[in-house]
Amino acid sequence: GIYNESLSLNNKNLTIASKYIIDNDSSHINLTILSGSNSFRVLKIESCSLNIIGITVKDGYFNGEGGAIYIGEYQSGPPSSVVNMDHLIIESNNSTGDAGAILCRQASQVNITNSIIKDNEGNKGGAIKAGEGSFLTLNNVIIKDNIANVSGGGVAVYDRADMNIINCRIIGNTSDADGAGIWINASSNHNNNTIVNIDSTEIINNTCQLNYHGGGIFIHGLNPSVVGEAYIKNSIISGNSNRTGGGVYVGDHAYLEMEYVEISNNIAH
């Protein structure tokens, strides 16, 4: 069914799931919908240990950051949240600020597996924005057709956040400014780097609309002590476009290491 919900969870240990968790019938994913009715955020998660399995989260809206799902601490104190998301569809969510679909902050730990995140829109991070020491793992996730009105059409990673991206497809995302596929910006004043590891992933056909930097990936740091780092292996970066660094843009105070990476058919104009 469709459940028009705005749930605020703090200090909880629980599982939210469809019947998929019982019988592995994937039809339950499309049929079990948490909806924000284009009027409110669906989930606010603070200081929780939470599993979300086999549902669709859609039509969330928030006047601020995190259109569908907000993940952080309760009343700005530890512990932060540990959230596992598996076999989800997260689509058609919108925020007036950053993170059209998912906002991860305050040292939250988030694992997203076997999921699709599509058609979301925000300022920085059309699909996902991670910062403030958060740690994310994306494994077998499709991130497609998301829009950033500023940077990071697919994913925005900043301020001490680290991310592992494994066996994913980041395709067809757009941004007005930098990093239509992935935007990595080490911006902390805490002298901590922002590190993204990418393995066995396709970053394809992402576009910066206003001709900024890094159609596929944008990497930037704050100063020599606060560096944006990306380590990429066994991956494809192809068909991305913008003004400078159609495939990958390595800016100031940035480090990039690649192994067995195909970079092809990208356009800088």
Side-chain angles (χ1 to χ4, degrees):
I2 300 175
Y3 305 90
N4 297 309
E5 300 285 353
S6 180
L7 302 176
S8 183
L9 306 172
N10 59 75
N11 294 300
K12 302 294 184 184
N13 185 342
L14 54 86
T15 294
I16 299 171
S18 70
K19 286 179 66 177
Y20 173 83
I21 198 173
I22 298 171
D23 59 17
N24 287 324
D25 182 349
S26 61
S27 67
H28 295 307
I29 300 170
N30 288 296
L31 295 174
T32 309
I33 300 169
L34 297 184
S35 172
S37 303
N38 295 308
S39 300
F40 44 80
R41 180 196 282 143
V42 178
L43 286 165
K44 185 176 184 180
I45 302 165
E46 297 177 299
S47 299
C48 291
S49 179
L50 192 66
N51 300 306
I52 308 173
I53 302 169
I55 65 173
T56 293
V57 180
K58 66 182 296 185
D59 297 333
Y61 171 83
F62 191 71
N63 185 18
E65 295 188 318
I69 302 172
Y70 170 104
I71 305 171
E73 297 175 350
Y74 181 60
Q75 296 182 346
S76 299
S80 194
S81 293
V82 178
V83 180
N84 299 303
M85 307 183 198
D86 183 53
H87 283 90
L88 302 188
I89 299 172
I90 302 173
E91 64 178 344
S92 303
N93 302 285
N94 186 281
S95 70
T96 61
D98 298 341
I102 303 170
L103 175 66
C104 306
R105 59 186 301 255
Q106 296 169 318
S108 55
Q109 298 180 48
V110 180
N111 300 300
I112 306 175
T113 55
N114 308 311
S115 296
I116 299 172
I117 306 173
K118 65 178 182 177
D119 298 322
N120 304 285
E121 183 173 352
N123 286 344
K124 294 178 182 176
I128 301 170
K129 181 184 177 185
E132 299 175 41
S134 295
F135 183 82
L136 273 73
T137 296
L138 307 177
N139 194 331
N140 193 31
V141 177
I142 296 172
I143 299 173
K144 70 174 185 176
D145 299 334
N146 301 284
I147 298 171
N149 298 313
V150 184
S151 299
V155 178
V157 192
Y158 81 112
D159 187 15
R160 297 168 286 138
D162 295 331
M163 183 177 290
N164 292 332
I165 301 173
I166 306 162
N167 191 32
C168 293
R169 300 190 74 211
I170 299 173
I171 55 175
N173 303 285
T174 61
S175 65
D176 280 356
D178 301 316
I182 302 171
W183 181 76
I184 304 166
N185 189 12
S187 55
S188 170
N189 290 318
H190 295 81
N191 290 338
N192 293 104
N193 294 350
T194 293
I195 301 170
V196 177
N197 298 295
I198 301 170
D199 189 4
S200 303
T201 290
E202 297 179 356
I203 302 167
I204 296 175
N205 295 339
N206 302 284
T207 302
C208 297
Q209 302 282 48
L210 299 181
N211 297 326
Y212 279 74
H213 309 297
I217 304 172
F218 172 91
I219 313 165
H220 200 273
L222 180 65
N223 57 50
S225 298
V226 182
V227 177
E229 301 180 44
Y231 300 85
I232 309 171
K233 62 181 181 180
N234 306 316
S235 295
I236 298 172
I237 303 170
S238 180
N240 306 285
S241 65
N242 73 346
R243 185 184 69 191
T244 307
V248 181
Y249 177 86
V250 183
D252 295 336
H253 313 299
Y255 179 81
L256 171 65
E257 186 174 303
M258 294 191 289
E259 181 180 8
Y260 300 111
V261 177
E262 176 189 324
I263 303 176
S264 62
N265 300 315
N266 301 285
I267 299 173
H269 53 79

